[in-house]
PDB file of all heavy atoms in Angstrom:
ATOM      1  N   ALA U 123      15.792 -29.967  -7.688  1.00  0.00           N
ATOM      2  CA  ALA U 123      15.138 -30.518  -8.880  1.00  0.00           C
ATOM      3  C   ALA U 123      15.528 -31.965  -9.135  1.00  0.00           C
ATOM      4  O   ALA U 123      14.689 -32.769  -9.557  1.00  0.00           O
ATOM      5  CB  ALA U 123      15.487 -29.657 -10.093  1.00  0.00           C
ATOM      6  N   ALA U 124      16.764 -32.355  -8.890  1.00  0.00           N
ATOM      7  CA  ALA U 124      17.209 -33.715  -9.188  1.00  0.00           C
ATOM      8  C   ALA U 124      16.432 -34.770  -8.387  1.00  0.00           C
ATOM      9  O   ALA U 124      16.280 -35.898  -8.848  1.00  0.00           O
ATOM     10  CB  ALA U 124      18.705 -33.853  -8.905  1.00  0.00           C
ATOM     11  N   ASN U 125      15.929 -34.396  -7.230  1.00  0.00           N
ATOM     12  CA  ASN U 125      15.203 -35.343  -6.383  1.00  0.00           C
ATOM     13  C   ASN U 125      13.698 -35.145  -6.423  1.00  0.00           C
ATOM     14  O   ASN U 125      12.975 -35.889  -5.727  1.00  0.00           O
ATOM     15  CB  ASN U 125      15.666 -35.202  -4.927  1.00  0.00           C
ATOM     16  CG  ASN U 125      17.120 -35.556  -4.758  1.00  0.00           C
ATOM     17  OD1 ASN U 125      17.633 -36.436  -5.450  1.00  0.00           O
ATOM     18  ND2 ASN U 125      17.793 -34.878  -3.868  1.00  0.00           N
ATOM     19  N   ASN U 126      13.221 -34.180  -7.154  1.00  0.00           N
ATOM     20  CA  ASN U 126      11.795 -33.815  -7.116  1.00  0.00           C
ATOM     21  C   ASN U 126      11.256 -33.549  -8.501  1.00  0.00           C
ATOM     22  O   ASN U 126      10.474 -32.633  -8.709  1.00  0.00           O
ATOM     23  CB  ASN U 126      11.615 -32.569  -6.238  1.00  0.00           C
ATOM     24  CG  ASN U 126      11.983 -32.799  -4.810  1.00  0.00           C
ATOM     25  OD1 ASN U 126      11.249 -33.440  -4.085  1.00  0.00           O
ATOM     26  ND2 ASN U 126      13.141 -32.287  -4.398  1.00  0.00           N
ATOM     27  N   GLY U 127      11.648 -34.363  -9.473  1.00  0.00           N
ATOM     28  CA  GLY U 127      11.300 -34.125 -10.870  1.00  0.00           C
ATOM     29  C   GLY U 127       9.809 -34.249 -11.159  1.00  0.00           C
ATOM     30  O   GLY U 127       9.074 -34.984 -10.503  1.00  0.00           O
ATOM     31  N   LEU U 128       9.380 -33.520 -12.187  1.00  0.00           N
ATOM     32  CA  LEU U 128       7.996 -33.548 -12.636  1.00  0.00           C
ATOM     33  C   LEU U 128       7.644 -34.929 -13.186  1.00  0.00           C
ATOM     34  O   LEU U 128       8.424 -35.536 -13.907  1.00  0.00           O
ATOM     35  CB  LEU U 128       7.803 -32.490 -13.728  1.00  0.00           C
ATOM     36  CG  LEU U 128       6.392 -32.375 -14.299  1.00  0.00           C
ATOM     37  CD1 LEU U 128       6.016 -30.904 -14.425  1.00  0.00           C
ATOM     38  CD2 LEU U 128       6.286 -33.063 -15.632  1.00  0.00           C
ATOM     39  N   LYS U 129       6.463 -35.417 -12.827  1.00  0.00           N
ATOM     40  CA  LYS U 129       5.927 -36.685 -13.357  1.00  0.00           C
ATOM     41  C   LYS U 129       4.493 -36.417 -13.797  1.00  0.00           C
ATOM     42  O   LYS U 129       3.755 -35.704 -13.122  1.00  0.00           O
ATOM     43  CB  LYS U 129       5.915 -37.773 -12.290  1.00  0.00           C
ATOM     44  CG  LYS U 129       7.254 -38.057 -11.648  1.00  0.00           C
ATOM     45  CD  LYS U 129       8.007 -39.101 -12.387  1.00  0.00           C
ATOM     46  CE  LYS U 129       9.245 -39.462 -11.601  1.00  0.00           C
ATOM     47  NZ  LYS U 129      10.372 -39.783 -12.380  1.00  0.00           N
ATOM     48  N   SER U 130       4.112 -37.037 -14.904  1.00  0.00           N
ATOM     49  CA  SER U 130       2.750 -36.866 -15.407  1.00  0.00           C
ATOM     50  C   SER U 130       1.911 -38.099 -15.104  1.00  0.00           C
ATOM     51  O   SER U 130       2.390 -39.225 -15.202  1.00  0.00           O
ATOM     52  CB  SER U 130       2.762 -36.618 -16.920  1.00  0.00           C
ATOM     53  OG  SER U 130       3.358 -35.372 -17.203  1.00  0.00           O
ATOM     54  N   TYR U 131       0.657 -37.850 -14.758  1.00  0.00           N
ATOM     55  CA  TYR U 131      -0.324 -38.887 -14.436  1.00  0.00           C
ATOM     56  C   TYR U 131      -1.628 -38.537 -15.106  1.00  0.00           C
ATOM     57  O   TYR U 131      -1.882 -37.384 -15.442  1.00  0.00           O
ATOM     58  CB  TYR U 131      -0.577 -38.939 -12.908  1.00  0.00           C
ATOM     59  CG  TYR U 131       0.621 -39.327 -12.089  1.00  0.00           C
ATOM     60  CD1 TYR U 131       1.531 -38.369 -11.662  1.00  0.00           C
ATOM     61  CD2 TYR U 131       0.829 -40.648 -11.727  1.00  0.00           C
ATOM     62  CE1 TYR U 131       2.636 -38.728 -10.902  1.00  0.00           C
ATOM     63  CE2 TYR U 131       1.931 -41.007 -10.973  1.00  0.00           C
ATOM     64  CZ  TYR U 131       2.829 -40.058 -10.555  1.00  0.00           C
ATOM     65  OH  TYR U 131       3.908 -40.409  -9.814  1.00  0.00           O
ATOM     66  N   SER U 132      -2.475 -39.533 -15.269  1.00  0.00           N
ATOM     67  CA  SER U 132      -3.855 -39.234 -15.648  1.00  0.00           C
ATOM     68  C   SER U 132      -4.503 -38.563 -14.448  1.00  0.00           C
ATOM     69  O   SER U 132      -4.287 -38.989 -13.306  1.00  0.00           O
ATOM     70  CB  SER U 132      -4.615 -40.524 -15.981  1.00  0.00           C
ATOM     71  OG  SER U 132      -4.037 -41.149 -17.103  1.00  0.00           O
ATOM     72  N   VAL U 133      -5.275 -37.521 -14.711  1.00  0.00           N
ATOM     73  CA  VAL U 133      -5.915 -36.790 -13.617  1.00  0.00           C
ATOM     74  C   VAL U 133      -6.729 -37.775 -12.773  1.00  0.00           C
ATOM     75  O   VAL U 133      -7.489 -38.587 -13.298  1.00  0.00           O
ATOM     76  CB  VAL U 133      -6.798 -35.640 -14.156  1.00  0.00           C
ATOM     77  CG1 VAL U 133      -7.601 -35.001 -13.038  1.00  0.00           C
ATOM     78  CG2 VAL U 133      -5.940 -34.607 -14.851  1.00  0.00           C
ATOM     79  N   GLY U 134      -6.536 -37.705 -11.487  1.00  0.00           N
ATOM     80  CA  GLY U 134      -7.225 -38.579 -10.542  1.00  0.00           C
ATOM     81  C   GLY U 134      -6.409 -39.805 -10.132  1.00  0.00           C
ATOM     82  O   GLY U 134      -6.783 -40.505  -9.212  1.00  0.00           O
TER      83      GLY U 134
END
Side-chain angles (χ1 to χ4, degrees):
N125 297 326
N126 296 286
L128 181 136
K129 304 271 187 214
S130 293
Y131 296 87
S132 296
V133 173

